[in-house]
C-alpha cells in the first residue's frame, strides 16, 4: 500500500484546541481509515491537495459567544463532503449557519444520559447499557461544555438531547452536516466508535484501507529516497520509538546508519545498557556511546521550569549530534523517533501558548540553527501503531511493550531542579518499583509505571534516629492510547512491599506516597 492509496480514503480533523483532538484521529485510524489533525489556517490548502472524504471539527477551549472566537473557514460548507462538528465544532457550525448559542445555566462535565429522540444514520446501531437503564432511549455520553445551542439553523433537525442540553445531536441530511455536543472520542461515551464508524463508512463512504504494518515497505523506500547515499545518525534512547526507528533505518540504509547513545546522567541507566547490548547483538547495529553527564547537569543547574528543562535537553542533544556530524562529512541527517503525539502536543494549534500541552525535547526543544537535516519516519504514527510496526519487524515483544520512558528522562520526574544526587535516588527507587511489578505479575497489566522525586523533605525515624529526607511518589496508570488514563488500583500488599524496600534500601528517602490522579485532569508524567 502506498501513501497515495491512503489519501483516497482520508478523514481530516480540523483542530480548535481540544485536549481530546488526538483521540479523534486515533479512533478513526482504529476503524481502518487514515486520518490526520490540522489547524484551521491550513485547511484550504490541505483540502485542495488531499481531497478528504470527510471533515471533523474538534472541540476546543474557546467560546463562540466571544466576539473574536475561532471560526470555521466558510469555504468548508461549500465543498460537498460530510462534516461532523464535535462540541465547539458543533457550536461553531450552528452560529455560522444562522442558529444561536448561549452560556448554559448549568454546565455539563462528565458522564451524562443522552435521550434519543429520532433516527439518524449517525447514531444507527447504538447499544444501551441495560444494567444502568431500563429506558433503551437513554445512553451514556461524555460531556464537557459551558455553552449550549439554544436554536438550530434552518434545515437542521434535533436528534437527541440531555436533561440540561436541548440540542445534543443535530443533523442536516441534505447538506451532510452533523453535530454532537458530547465527545464520542472519549471511552466514557459507550457508543463513540459506532458514531465514528457510521460517519466514516456509512456517510463518508470510506473503505477500510489503513493499517500501519502494511506500509513498512513504503516507509523504508521513502527513507532511501530521502537520504540517498548520505549517512544518518540516530539518537538511540532504548525506548520503543527510537528502537523501531533504528530497525527501519537499518533495513533501509544498512551500514550508513550510526546510532548514538548519549549517557546524559538522567536515565535509568541499568535498564538502558541492557537494551543497548541486546540491540548490538541481535541487529548488528553500529552504536556509539557518549558520556555527556557533566554537560547535562551543568546546563540544568538551577533550572526548575519543566518547559525550560525540555528545551535545554533538546539543545544539548543537538549540540552533541552537531559535534558528531562534524567528524564525518558524509553524515547529513539526524533521525529521531518522534511520533505523532509528540508533534501535536508540542504545537499550539491556535497560535496561542495557553492552548498547547507541553513541548517535547525532540520537537520544541531543537534549536533552529542545526547543521543537519531531520528525518522522522514515525512522525505520523501513534504509539500503538509504532508497536504494531515493531512486532511486524520481529522486534521482541518485551522490548516493544516495555513501559514508555520520556526522552528528557528523569529530568521531568524530578520536580524542580535536577541534581545528580536526586537522579541516583530516583533511579534506585524506580528499579525497585519495576522489579516488584514484575515479581508479582503486574508489569504487563500496567500501561506505565514509574517513581517521581518530590523536592520536599519529610520526617522519618529509622533505628531510633530522626531522619529528615526526601519524598517520592509512585505512579501507575492503565490506558489504551495514552491520551486518557486511569490510575491503577494496585493491591495494598504490593504498595506496602515497594514502600518498605525503598525506605530500607535507598538511603535518603523517608516517605513513599501513591498518585491516584487520572488523566485528565492530570497528565501521566508530572511535568
Amino acid at each position: 500500500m502506498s501513501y497515495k492509496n491512503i489519501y483516497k480514503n482520508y478523514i481530516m480533523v480540523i483542530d480548535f484546541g481540544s485536549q481530546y483532538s488526538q483521540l479523534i484521529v486515533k479512533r478513526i485510524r482504529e476503524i481502518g481509515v487514515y486520518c490526520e489533525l490540522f489547524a484551521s489556517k491550513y485547511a484550504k490548502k490541505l483540502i485542495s491537495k488531499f481531497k478528504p472524504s470527510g471533515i471533523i471539527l474538534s472541540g476546543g477551549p474557546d467560546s463562540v459567544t466571544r466576539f473574536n472566537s475561532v471560526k470555521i473557514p466558510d469555504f468548508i460548507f461549500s465543498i460537498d463532503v460530510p462534516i461532523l462538528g464535535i462540541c465547539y465544532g458543533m457550536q461553531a457550525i450552528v452560529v455560522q449557519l444562522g442558529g444561536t448559542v448561549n452560556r448554559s445555566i448549568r454546565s455539563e462535565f462528565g458522564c451524562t444520559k443522552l435521550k434519543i429522540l429520532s433516527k439518524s444514520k449517525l447514531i444507527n446501531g447504538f447499544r444501551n447499557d441495560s444494567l444502568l437503564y431500563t429506558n433503551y432511549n437513554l445512553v451514556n455520553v461524555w460531556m464537557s461544555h459551558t455553552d449550549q445551542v439554544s436554536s438550530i439553523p434552518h434545515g437542521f433537525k434535533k436528534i437527541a438531547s440531555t436533561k440540561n442540553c436541548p440540542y445534543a445531536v443535530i443533523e442536516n441530511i441534505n447538506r451532510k452536516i452533523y453535530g454532537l455536543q458530547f465527545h464520542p472520542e472519549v471511552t466514557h461515551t459507550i457508543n463513540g466508535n459506532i458514531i465514528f464508524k457510521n460517519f466514516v463508512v456509512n456517510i463518508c463512504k470510506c473503505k477500510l484501507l489503513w493499517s500501519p504494518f502494511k506500509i513498512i515497505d513504503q516507509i523504508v523506500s521513502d527513507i532511501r529516497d530521502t537520504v540517498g547515499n548520505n549517512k544518518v545518525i540516530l539518537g538511540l534512547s532504548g525506548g520503543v520509538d527510537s528502537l523501531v526507528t533504528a530497525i527501519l533505518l537499518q533495513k533501509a540504509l544498512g551500514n550508513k546508519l550510526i546510532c548514538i547513545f548519549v549517557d546524559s546522567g538522567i536515565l535509568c541507566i541499568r535498564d538502558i545498557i541492557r537494551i543497548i547490548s541486546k540491540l548490538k547483538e541481535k541487529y548488528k547495529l553500529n552504536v556509539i556511546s557518549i558520556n555527556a553527564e557533566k554537560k547535562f547537569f551543568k546546563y540544568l543547574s538551577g533550572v526548575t521550569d519543566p518547559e525550560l528543562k525540555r528545551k535545554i535537553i533538546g539543545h544539548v542533544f543537538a549540540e552533541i549530534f552537531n559535534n558528531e556530524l562534524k567528524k564525518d562529512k558524509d553524515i547529513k541527517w539526524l533521525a529521531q523517533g518522534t511520533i505523532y503525539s509528540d508533534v501535536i502536543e508540542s504545537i499550539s494549534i491556535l497560535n496561542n501558548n495557553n492552548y498547547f500541552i507541553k513541548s517535547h525535547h525532540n520537537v520544541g526543544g531543537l534549536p533552529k540553527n542545526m547543521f543537519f537535516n531531520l528525518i522522522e519516519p514515525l512522525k505520523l504514527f501513534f504509539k500503538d501503531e509504532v508497536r504494531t510496526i515493531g512486532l511486524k519487524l520481529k522486534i521482541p515483544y518485551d522490548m516493544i511493550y516495555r513501559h514508555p520512558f520520556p526522552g528528557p528522562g528523569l529530568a521531568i520526574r524530578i520536580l524542580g531542579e535536577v541534581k545528580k544526587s536526586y537522579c541516583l535516588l530516583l533511579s534506585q527507587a524506580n528499579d525497585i518499583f519495576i522489579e516488584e511489578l514484575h515479581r508479582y505479575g503486574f508489569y504487563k497489566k500496567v500501561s506505565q509505571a514509574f517513581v517521581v522525586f518530590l523536592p520536599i523533605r519529610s520526617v522519618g525515624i529509622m533505628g531510633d534516629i530522626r531522619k529528615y529526607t526526601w519524598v517520592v511518589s509512585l505512579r501507575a496508570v492503565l490506558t489504551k492510547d495514552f491520551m486518557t488514563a486511569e490510575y491503577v488500583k494496585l493491591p495494598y500488599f504490593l504498595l506496602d512491599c515497594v514502600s518498605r524496600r525503598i525506605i530500607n534500601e535507598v538511603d535518603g528517602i523517608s516517605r513513599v506516597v501513591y498518585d491516584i490522579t487520572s488523566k485528565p485532569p492530570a497528565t501521566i508524567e508530572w511535568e
Side-chain angles (χ1 to χ4, degrees):
M1 178 187 292
S2 70
Y3 287 127
K4 290 182 181 179
N5 286 331
I6 292 170
Y7 290 122
K8 286 182 179 178
N9 289 268
Y10 173 76
I11 299 295
M12 174 182 289
V13 177
I14 297 179
D15 190 21
F16 293 107
S18 170
Q19 62 180 315
Y20 305 126
S21 293
Q22 292 187 56
L23 281 178
I24 302 172
V25 178
K26 195 166 185 311
R27 297 290 177 254
I28 303 300
R29 290 192 189 184
E30 286 170 349
I31 292 168
V33 176
Y34 189 71
C35 184
E36 277 192 68
L37 180 73
F38 296 103
S40 60
K41 66 179 180 179
Y42 303 122
K44 192 164 190 174
K45 179 180 178 181
L46 292 165
I47 288 171
S48 174
K49 179 179 179 182
F50 297 123
K51 296 180 174 55
S53 305
I55 294 172
I56 298 177
L57 309 171
S58 84
D62 205 350
S63 170
V64 295
T65 63
R66 195 174 63 83
F67 175 70
N68 286 324
S69 62
V70 183
K71 300 291 189 296
I72 302 167
D74 287 332
F75 79 94
I76 284 177
F77 296 114
S78 61
I79 59 174
D80 195 33
V81 298
I83 298 169
L84 173 62
I86 297 173
C87 198
Y88 181 88
M90 168 182 162
Q91 293 169 3
I93 288 172
V94 167
V95 169
Q96 290 180 230
L97 295 183
T100 56
V101 173
N102 297 311
R103 296 294 282 182
S104 304
I105 297 173
R106 291 186 178 89
S107 300
E108 287 183 313
F109 294 98
C111 281
T112 306
K113 297 184 184 90
L114 180 77
K115 186 175 183 179
I116 308 300
L117 303 171
S118 181
K119 291 182 179 180
S120 168
K121 272 188 178 182
L122 191 65
I123 61 172
N124 185 42
F126 260 29
R127 64 183 179 85
N128 172 272
D129 189 342
S130 58
L131 295 175
L132 291 177
Y133 313 121
T134 55
N135 184 341
Y136 279 79
N137 286 330
L138 293 178
V139 292
N140 256 357
V141 296
W142 183 264
M143 289 283 196
S144 180
H145 67 103
T146 54
D147 294 343
Q148 68 177 28
V149 175
S150 49
S151 70
I152 54 178
H154 176 73
F156 279 78
K157 177 183 178 181
K158 178 162 74 169
I159 302 299
S161 63
T162 69
K163 183 179 179 181
N164 297 316
C165 180
Y167 299 99
V169 182
I170 61 173
E171 70 175 14
N172 184 322
I173 295 176
N174 293 330
R175 298 187 67 176
K176 295 181 285 190
I177 301 175
Y178 302 82
L180 304 170
Q181 184 56 73
F182 56 89
H183 290 269
E185 67 272 26
V186 177
T187 54
H188 299 79
T189 298
I190 61 173
N191 291 289
N193 286 342
I194 293 174
I195 290 173
F196 283 131
K197 191 165 186 179
N198 284 337
F199 181 70
V200 301
V201 177
N202 299 331
I203 296 172
C204 298
K205 306 300 182 184
C206 291
K207 293 181 180 178
L208 309 184
L209 299 175
W210 167 250
S211 181
F213 73 81
K214 289 182 180 179
I215 63 169
I216 290 175
D217 290 341
Q218 183 69 43
I219 297 171
V220 170
S221 176
D222 286 350
I223 292 170
R224 288 180 183 141
D225 291 344
T226 301
V227 171
N229 292 321
N230 298 311
K231 291 182 180 179
V232 176
I233 57 173
L234 167 69
L236 190 63
S237 67
V240 62
D241 303 331
S242 68
L243 172 56
V244 173
T245 301
I247 305 309
L248 286 170
L249 289 165
Q250 176 86 336
K251 192 177 176 68
L253 305 174
N255 61 10
K256 288 187 289 186
L257 171 65
I258 302 168
C259 297
I260 297 179
F261 169 63
V262 179
D263 182 359
S264 58
I266 51 177
L267 300 171
C268 291
I269 194 65
R270 187 177 71 175
D271 195 29
I272 301 295
I273 288 174
R274 177 182 61 81
I275 290 171
I276 298 297
S277 177
K278 278 188 178 181
L279 292 176
K280 285 183 176 180
E281 181 182 343
K282 182 175 177 64
Y283 299 104
K284 311 302 180 187
L285 290 175
N286 177 18
V287 182
I288 298 171
S289 295
I290 297 174
N291 190 319
E293 180 181 296
K294 290 182 180 179
K295 185 185 291 285
F296 277 91
F297 284 123
K298 175 186 174 183
Y299 282 102
L300 288 169
S301 177
V303 177
T304 59
D305 179 73
E307 278 302 298
L308 187 53
K309 287 184 197 176
R310 284 188 170 87
K311 285 180 168 56
I312 287 171
I313 290 167
H315 277 263
V316 176
F317 272 118
E319 183 181 315
I320 292 168
F321 295 139
N322 268 331
N323 291 337
E324 289 302 309
L325 183 143
K326 293 174 185 176
K327 297 177 183 178
D328 188 336
K329 60 181 177 60
D330 291 329
I331 301 175
K332 302 294 184 183
W333 294 86
L334 168 67
Q336 293 194 135
T338 306
I339 64 173
Y340 201 39
S341 55
D342 295 339
V343 175
I344 295 172
E345 287 190 350
S346 296
I347 296 172
S348 173
I349 297 295
L350 303 179
N351 294 322
N352 184 326
N353 288 332
N354 293 326
Y355 291 153
F356 87 114
I357 300 172
K358 61 188 176 185
S359 297
H360 286 260
H361 77 291
N362 57 334
V363 182
L366 289 176
K368 294 179 180 178
N369 59 337
M370 298 187 299
F371 298 110
F372 42 70
N373 299 304
L374 198 60
I375 183 167
E376 298 168 311
L378 299 177
K379 70 178 181 180
L380 292 180
F381 299 92
F382 287 102
K383 178 74 75 176
D384 62 323
E385 293 174 326
V386 172
R387 284 174 166 155
T388 299
I389 292 171
L391 292 175
K392 187 68 176 179
L393 292 168
K394 301 189 184 323
I395 300 173
Y397 182 92
D398 65 330
M399 285 189 177
I400 289 297
Y401 280 91
R402 177 174 170 261
H403 288 186
F405 188 78
L410 301 178
I412 59 166
R413 291 180 179 173
I414 295 172
L415 304 195
E417 184 180 6
V418 180
K419 296 182 179 180
K420 183 176 180 178
S421 60
Y422 298 169
C423 287
L424 292 173
L425 291 176
L426 182 54
S427 185
Q428 292 175 66
N430 197 79
D431 285 345
I432 290 170
F433 189 23
I434 300 302
E435 282 175 13
E436 293 303 323
L437 288 172
H438 277 295
R439 178 185 172 193
Y440 287 105
F442 278 89
Y443 185 82
K444 291 182 180 179
K445 297 177 183 178
V446 171
S447 305
Q448 188 173 3
F450 53 91
V451 181
V452 179
F453 181 90
L454 308 182
I456 53 176
R457 294 178 185 268
S458 174
V459 174
I461 299 174
M462 299 176 191
D464 296 327
I465 299 174
R466 181 183 185 274
K467 298 279 188 177
Y468 190 54
T469 50
W470 302 110
V471 180
V472 295
S473 175
L474 309 180
R475 177 80 159 140
V477 298
L478 190 63
T479 177
K480 291 182 179 179
D481 45 44
F482 292 89
M483 300 296 103
T484 62
E486 299 289 335
Y487 78 89
V488 179
K489 297 174 178 64
L490 291 175
Y492 289 139
F493 75 83
L494 176 55
L495 293 173
D496 179 67
C497 177
V498 173
S499 176
R500 288 176 184 274
R501 279 197 61 191
I502 289 175
I503 298 298
N504 288 326
E505 297 176 29
V506 185
D507 185 18
I509 296 175
S510 61
R511 193 175 298 269
V512 178
V513 299
Y514 188 49
D515 180 356
I516 59 169
T517 319
S518 294
K519 174 186 180 180
T523 54
I524 294 176
E525 298 286 349
W526 278 41
E527 287 195 341

